[in-house]
């Protein structure tokens, strides 16, 4: 009887909890959830930081435009996204691309800006620069449009005042209103592994034209190119893709120089090679026959 009473007592449902008990249990569960969230925040922040650093190093970086040298395409204060991934796979700048590149030497001389930010603002900017949301204050980067690549002859101006590439006039719809293609006459052949760059606001852009007395005649080495600017992401009313103009694709290819000529390969139908093969083959056949006869005699 005692055993049956115990079994019946254990099988009977627990008495229902009151409202106060349910509220207390809910508060305890919410408190445990908040503590777990606070413990996870450092891990989440660390993962986000690693992802941001990887994106900045290998994929995309944001740059702030400080000058009007690329107006009206890109304006002062615009944030542009720069593709840093494709150069890892061998992609090189093409005519018409907008590229960010490091100062080849002396291009930004005398343009250091004074720091008027307070400690808090400076710290926030340094943090954003570290993860790639802003450029570092010490970086010396420029943004221009590629006009000529290695082997191109870029000149200005023709009878109608236009820039020419390999003798063909360049249509430039991106020029700032009221700007001629160039007020400075020039002609340069771009060395292999370098590019000739110009700003869209030609009257405000101290570009390749102003550095023709420097080593490389104002051209920029490909090793200094950070990447191609492909998008204006901020402010939203300036949002646009920075696509390559169709006019750049219609230009003639640069003439192949001696250094760019492919290494000569023997032509199997070349007369001297054919005659040599015909002379060697009978001799080889005779040697093989003689060796076979000697083995048969043995």
């Amino acid at each position: 009887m005692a055993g049956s009473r115990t079994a019946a007592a254990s099988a009977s449902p627990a008495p229902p909890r009151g409202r106060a008990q349910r509220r207390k249990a809910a508060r305890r569960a919410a408190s445990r959830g908040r503590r777990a969230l606070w413990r996870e925040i450092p891990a989440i922040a660390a993962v986000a930081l690693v992802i941001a650093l990887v994106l900045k190093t290998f994929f995309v970086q944001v740059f702030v435009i400080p000058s009007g040298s690329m107006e009206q395409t890109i304006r002062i204060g615009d944030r542009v996204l720069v593709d840093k991934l494709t150069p890892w796979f061998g992609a090189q700048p093409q005519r018409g691309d907008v590229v960010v590149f490091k100062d080849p030497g002396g291009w930004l001389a005398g343009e250091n800006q004074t720091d008027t930010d307070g400690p808090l603002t400076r710290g926030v900017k340094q943090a954003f620069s570290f993860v790639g949301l802003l450029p570092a204050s010490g970086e010396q980067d420029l943004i221009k449009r590629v006009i000529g690549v290695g082997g191109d002859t870029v000149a200005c101006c023709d009878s109608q005042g236009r820039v020419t590439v390999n003798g063909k006039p360049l249509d430039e719809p991106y020029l700032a209103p009221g700007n001629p293609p160039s007020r400075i006459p020039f002609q340069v052949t771009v060395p292999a592994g370098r590019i000739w760059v110009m700003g869209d606001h030609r009257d405000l852009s101290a570009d390749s034209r102003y550095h023709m007395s420097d080593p490389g005649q104002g051209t920029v080495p490909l090793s200094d190119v950070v990447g191609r600017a492909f998008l204006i992401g901020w402010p939203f009313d300036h949002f646009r893709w920075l696509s390559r103009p169709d006019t750049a694709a219609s230009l003639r290819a640069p003439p192949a120089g001696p250094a760019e000529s492919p290494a000569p390969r023997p032509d199997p139908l070349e007369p001297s090679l054919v005659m040599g093969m015909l002379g060697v083959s009978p001799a080889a056949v005779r040697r093989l026959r003689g060796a076979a006869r000697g083995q048969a005699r043995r």
Side-chain angles (χ1 to χ4, degrees):
M1 295 293 292
S4 61
R5 289 177 187 161
T6 304
S10 61
S12 61
R17 292 185 298 177
R19 181 178 300 178
Q21 291 179 324
R22 290 197 300 270
R23 289 179 178 175
K24 188 175 181 180
R27 284 196 296 269
R28 284 199 299 267
S31 178
R32 286 195 298 269
R34 284 193 295 268
R35 287 197 298 270
L37 178 61
W38 281 108
R39 287 195 296 267
E40 292 176 359
I41 284 178
I44 295 173
V47 172
L49 179 61
V50 171
I51 293 174
L53 290 175
V54 171
L55 289 175
K56 171 189 174 182
T57 304
F58 299 105
F59 294 91
V60 176
Q61 187 171 354
V62 178
F63 286 84
V64 182
I65 307 305
S67 72
S69 66
M70 284 296 294
E71 293 176 339
Q72 297 292 327
T73 306
I74 306 174
R75 303 177 186 178
I76 298 175
D78 284 354
R79 269 66 170 172
V80 298
L81 276 66
V82 174
D83 169 23
K84 301 176 69 175
L85 175 64
T86 53
W88 288 86
F89 296 93
Q92 295 185 357
Q94 301 297 315
R95 304 187 197 99
D97 287 345
V98 177
V99 296
V100 171
F101 57 94
K102 300 182 183 299
D103 186 352
W107 285 40
L108 293 175
E111 293 193 14
N112 294 328
Q113 299 179 354
T114 58
D115 187 2
T116 59
D117 296 328
L120 179 60
T121 304
R122 190 181 305 113
V124 172
K125 285 186 175 181
Q126 289 176 352
F128 280 17
S129 299
F130 182 68
V131 298
L133 297 178
L134 286 176
S137 58
E139 290 182 355
Q140 300 292 301
D141 298 317
L142 301 97
I143 184 167
K144 306 290 180 189
R145 189 180 297 275
V146 178
I147 303 299
V149 297
D152 283 341
T153 297
V154 187
C156 192
C157 300
D158 65 0
S159 59
Q160 299 184 32
R162 298 170 296 184
V163 172
T164 63
V165 178
N166 302 327
K168 184 171 183 179
L170 182 61
D171 182 20
E172 300 186 279
Y174 40 75
L175 287 181
N179 275 213
S182 179
R183 299 185 191 276
I184 302 173
F186 65 88
Q187 179 171 336
V188 63
T189 298
V190 183
R194 304 179 78 92
I195 53 176
W196 175 272
V197 296
M198 299 172 73
D200 290 356
H201 200 327
R202 298 288 159 82
D203 286 346
L204 292 182
S205 180
D207 45 41
S208 291
R209 298 168 296 166
Y210 289 82
H211 300 277
M212 294 191 65
S213 59
D214 298 347
Q217 292 185 283
T219 59
V220 177
L222 293 177
S223 58
D224 285 347
V225 177
V226 176
R228 181 180 67 88
F230 66 93
L231 177 69
I232 301 174
W234 183 265
F236 287 137
D237 58 340
H238 293 178
F239 184 93
R240 60 174 295 190
W241 296 97
L242 297 172
S243 57
R244 186 179 303 150
D246 295 335
T247 55
S250 63
L251 295 174
R252 299 172 186 169
E260 299 178 349
S261 300
R265 296 180 180 179
D267 184 356
L269 299 180
E270 185 178 352
S272 59
L273 184 59
V274 172
M275 294 303 294
M277 293 178 66
L278 291 176
V280 171
S281 298
V285 171
R286 285 195 297 269
R287 288 181 184 177
L288 290 173
R289 287 179 179 176
R293 290 173 182 171
Q295 290 179 356
R297 290 170 184 172
R298 292 175 188 170

